[in-house]
Amino acid sequence: MADATSAQPAPTEPLALARVWYGFMTARVSIALAILLLHLSLWALGQDASLWMLLFCAGYFASTLAVRLRMHPSGDAQPPARFWAGTVGVDALVFSILQLLESSSINYSPLLALPVLLAAVQGSRRIALGTAACMTLLLLLEAWWTTHHSADGTARLVQSGLTGMGYFVVAFLVNQLAARLVGEEQLALRSQMDAQLQTRVNELVIETLADGVLVVDIHGTTRTANPAARWLLGAEAGPPLLLSSEPGWRTLLALAQKTFATESPQNGDISIHATGKSPRRVRVRTRMTVAQAARTESLCVLFLHDLREIEARLRTEKMAAMGRMSAAVAHEIRNPLAAITQANALLEEDLTDPAHQRLTHMVQQNALRLSKIVDEVLGIARLQHAGTGRPPQTRLDEAINNICSDWMQQDARRQPVKVTPATLGMPVDFDADHLRRVLLNLLDNAARHVSPQPEAIQVSTSLSTNQQSHLQVWSDGPALEQTVEQHLFEPFFSSESRSSGLGLYICRELCERHRASIGYQRATRVRNGQEVQGNEFFVQFRPPKPSSLAARPFDIQPV
């Protein structure tokens, strides 16, 4: 995840000052248009209005309109010099010329307040006070010029001084208000960016949570549902969910409604059974958000945790403890078991009674069974402490043919296995002895439930498009019960009373050690020319390295 500071958006132009800027520019255009229309009307009425003054007003209107259309507020704290030359300076010059050259009784001096206000809002304090000083000097010069042509020049001079003092006060106060507005708006923008960043972080955290997070209203409509929650509910990504629309979700809806009714957290273990999906047992914790105002509504947040993960974690912890204890017990059992087996063999040599021989045979069978269980328990302990180096490579097709042949030769009563190799001699990163152990376990497991039909057990290999090897062991046995399928690869779990329940668990441990994966599915195969449903265990091997692809043999022998 990238650094949070780098993901923040760049600060934008303060929106309030931008609106004020456009307001000032629009006001300048309006004032220029009003002055132009005034002089046009005076010229049309034949009063004392010169054509040069009319052209001067038209030029001022054109300049204000050009500034309004072409210039835009920038993100700088201080406007550029051309801004002041194009607005404040032009306004002061135009209004002063109009006041000095106008022969009628129209007074243009109040318009000098416009550049003062503009400088106070858009500029710094120094620029605002400087603009006020310039406008005051213009007023004083105009009043001094008037003293030579009229008797009330002194009064005009005093009035201009008072107006200039007002300009200074207005410039100072307006500049302070504008600075406060800019500070508050920048603080609001930073708060908004922080809130947006926090929202993105929260969304990312919720999306990647392994637990389901579901936010619903009082009517049972979801406002937010992360992928884990949709997976537990058996719903695809899409529009908001309505918990009352699925019968399997109504227990969840009832828990949420109880939270709204009691306004207190609720906990419970429920079963969610969506249409067309297998049931999932989840642990639910609910919390309710408190409405901060009358316009906001309370929402219920449901945290969903898959109980299978909790149970798997508990089983893992138990297995770690049981593995250490079982390894110690197995070492202690091995020596007495060997003594029992040896004593039973010596006793069997001296017995002639068939009933006694049957008893010694039973002792021998059960001793062999105990010896196998001891070997499997010790094998698990060795797997847990084995190294993690890269295993040697094994040619899959050749190894599969040899293992299946040896398995059939061990017992003449076993059915023939149909072998279909298709990896074209591609090697896999799997130890040959461990591959033998995995395949023998899968073949023994298939032989327990197979039918007497020919080709009832089929072993095949295949290559995917990325040259990844696969192994499939198929048998035509009946479908497994759902409770059995859920615990297939767990230790000490078996549907057979005389099985240790460690075979498939050892297969999974060996595959994970070699970075391969093993699984189960129902699959269709052709048996005696007919398509038959059966049980299939598949192993997906580690993808090959590019060097392995380069070393692929080209002298492939036909099967």
Side-chain angles (χ1 to χ4, degrees):
M1 182 178 174
D3 188 4
T5 57
S6 63
Q8 291 184 359
T12 57
E13 170 67 20
L15 301 179
L17 287 187
R19 290 194 295 268
V20 171
W21 188 91
Y22 284 115
F24 271 114
M25 296 303 105
T26 304
R28 292 178 71 243
V29 174
S30 302
I31 291 173
L33 180 60
I35 294 173
L36 177 61
L37 293 177
L38 176 62
H39 285 78
L40 278 174
S41 61
L42 293 175
W43 182 74
L45 294 174
Q47 297 188 12
D48 189 9
S50 65
L51 182 61
W52 291 107
M53 183 59 70
L54 186 62
L55 294 176
F56 178 75
C57 294
Y60 175 60
F61 172 72
S63 67
T64 58
L65 186 61
V67 171
R68 175 62 178 82
L69 296 177
R70 296 181 63 85
M71 292 187 65
H72 301 282
S74 63
D76 300 332
Q78 183 68 28
R82 60 188 179 90
F83 171 78
W84 303 112
T87 56
V88 176
V90 170
D91 290 346
L93 180 62
V94 169
F95 298 153
S96 300
I97 293 175
L98 289 174
Q99 181 66 22
L100 293 174
L101 300 181
E102 183 60 45
S103 60
S104 63
S105 60
I106 300 175
N107 184 13
Y108 293 96
S109 60
L111 295 179
L112 293 175
L114 180 63
V116 175
L117 290 175
L118 180 58
V121 172
Q122 296 292 136
S124 63
R125 184 185 303 176
R126 181 181 300 177
I127 293 176
L129 296 178
T131 305
C134 292
M135 298 302 106
T136 303
L137 287 175
L138 289 176
L139 286 175
L140 292 175
L141 288 174
E142 190 269 339
W144 175 79
W145 178 265
T146 307
T147 58
H148 296 283
H149 299 83
S150 62
D152 60 345
T154 303
R156 291 288 299 272
L157 191 64
V158 173
Q159 183 181 0
S160 298
L162 293 175
T163 304
M165 292 178 61
Y167 285 166
F168 277 100
V169 174
V170 170
F172 179 79
L173 294 179
V174 172
N175 182 259
Q176 291 295 315
L177 293 175
R180 180 66 179 271
L181 177 62
V182 171
E184 293 292 336
E185 191 167 31
Q186 289 178 349
L187 179 61
L189 287 175
R190 285 195 297 268
S191 300
Q192 182 181 5
M193 288 188 292
D194 292 340
Q196 292 175 352
L197 177 61
Q198 188 63 43
T199 301
R200 290 196 296 268
V201 172
N202 293 340
E203 291 175 352
L204 179 61
V205 171
I206 292 175
E207 289 291 321
T208 55
L209 276 178
D211 293 348
V213 178
L214 199 66
V215 181
V216 300
D217 58 17
I218 195 170
H219 304 292
T221 303
T222 61
R223 299 297 182 86
T224 302
N226 68 339
R230 288 185 174 272
W231 181 81
L232 289 172
L233 293 176
E236 301 294 335
L241 307 175
L242 186 61
L243 295 183
S244 59
S245 62
E246 280 281 350
W249 299 345
R250 290 176 182 171
T251 53
L252 202 62
L253 177 61
L255 201 60
Q257 291 176 342
K258 186 176 180 181
T259 304
F260 283 114
T262 60
E263 296 185 354
S264 60
Q266 302 294 325
N267 300 292
D269 296 343
I270 64 174
S271 178
I272 298 176
H273 193 178
T275 303
K277 305 289 184 179
S278 59
R280 296 182 174 94
R281 296 176 59 246
V282 297
R283 177 163 295 170
V284 184
R285 295 182 293 112
T286 66
R287 297 292 185 273
M288 195 174 73
T289 62
V290 180
Q292 300 295 330
R295 295 182 179 180
T296 60
E297 61 176 332
S298 297
L299 298 174
C300 180
V301 183
L302 297 94
F303 301 93
L304 313 179
H305 193 90
D306 195 349
L307 283 177
R308 289 181 300 179
E309 294 184 4
I310 301 177
E311 295 170 354
R313 191 181 304 117
L314 293 176
R315 285 193 297 269
T316 301
E317 295 174 356
K318 291 180 181 178
M319 280 306 304
M322 289 179 61
R324 293 189 293 268
M325 182 188 69
S326 300
V329 172
H331 279 292
E332 297 297 329
I333 291 177
R334 172 169 283 185
N335 291 333
L337 186 61
I340 292 173
T341 303
Q342 185 177 5
N344 182 70
L346 294 175
L347 182 63
E348 188 178 12
E349 294 178 356
D350 299 333
L351 295 177
T352 57
D353 189 354
H356 293 168
Q357 289 180 350
R358 284 196 300 271
L359 292 176
T360 56
H361 183 65
M362 291 175 58
V363 172
Q364 180 184 8
Q365 286 183 336
N366 286 277
L368 291 175
R369 181 186 173 195
L370 286 175
S371 178
K372 182 179 179 181
I373 294 175
V374 168
D375 292 338
E376 290 178 346
V377 170
L378 293 177
I380 293 175
R382 285 192 293 268
L383 284 176
Q384 293 176 348
H385 297 87
T388 58
R390 189 176 182 89
Q393 290 191 334
T394 303
R395 295 193 181 277
L396 185 59
D397 289 346
E398 181 181 349
I400 295 302
N401 283 321
N402 295 334
I403 295 170
C404 291
S405 299
D406 294 342
W407 183 79
M408 288 184 291
Q409 292 174 4
Q410 288 177 1
D411 191 344
R413 295 173 298 177
R414 289 175 175 170
Q415 292 188 0
V417 178
K418 180 183 178 182
V419 181
T420 309
T423 61
L424 305 178
M426 179 70 70
V428 294
D429 293 334
F430 215 99
D431 184 79
D433 293 335
H434 292 166
L435 179 62
R436 173 178 291 273
R437 191 170 183 182
V438 169
L439 184 53
L440 290 179
N441 275 326
L442 295 179
L443 289 173
D444 290 339
N445 186 70
R448 295 192 186 100
H449 310 284
V450 76
S451 69
Q453 298 293 330
E455 299 181 357
I457 300 177
Q458 301 181 19
V459 178
S460 62
T461 61
S462 60
L463 277 177
S464 60
T465 55
N466 61 344
Q467 300 299 309
Q468 189 173 11
S469 301
H470 299 261
L471 168 65
Q472 299 89 20
V473 179
W474 180 88
S475 61
D476 63 353
L480 300 180
E481 297 180 2
Q482 188 174 5
T483 55
V484 176
E485 182 180 348
Q486 291 177 352
H487 305 282
L488 265 180
F489 298 97
E490 295 179 6
F492 303 112
F493 179 85
S494 176
S495 58
E496 297 289 332
S497 59
R498 299 181 63 84
S499 175
S500 64
L502 293 174
L504 292 178
Y505 173 73
I506 292 175
C507 291
R508 189 190 68 179
E509 291 294 318
L510 288 171
C511 290
E512 290 182 353
R513 179 184 173 187
H514 294 82
R515 298 184 182 179
S517 59
I518 186 171
Y520 163 81
Q521 62 183 4
R522 289 287 289 177
T524 302
R525 292 291 182 92
V526 176
R527 187 198 64 187
N528 295 333
Q530 296 180 350
E531 291 187 352
V532 179
Q533 281 278 340
N535 302 316
E536 180 179 275
F537 288 88
F538 57 90
V539 177
Q540 183 175 345
F541 295 94
R542 180 182 181 181
K545 282 188 173 182
S547 60
S548 300
L549 296 177
R552 178 177 173 179
F554 291 94
D555 50 343
I556 306 301
Q557 299 295 330
V559 178

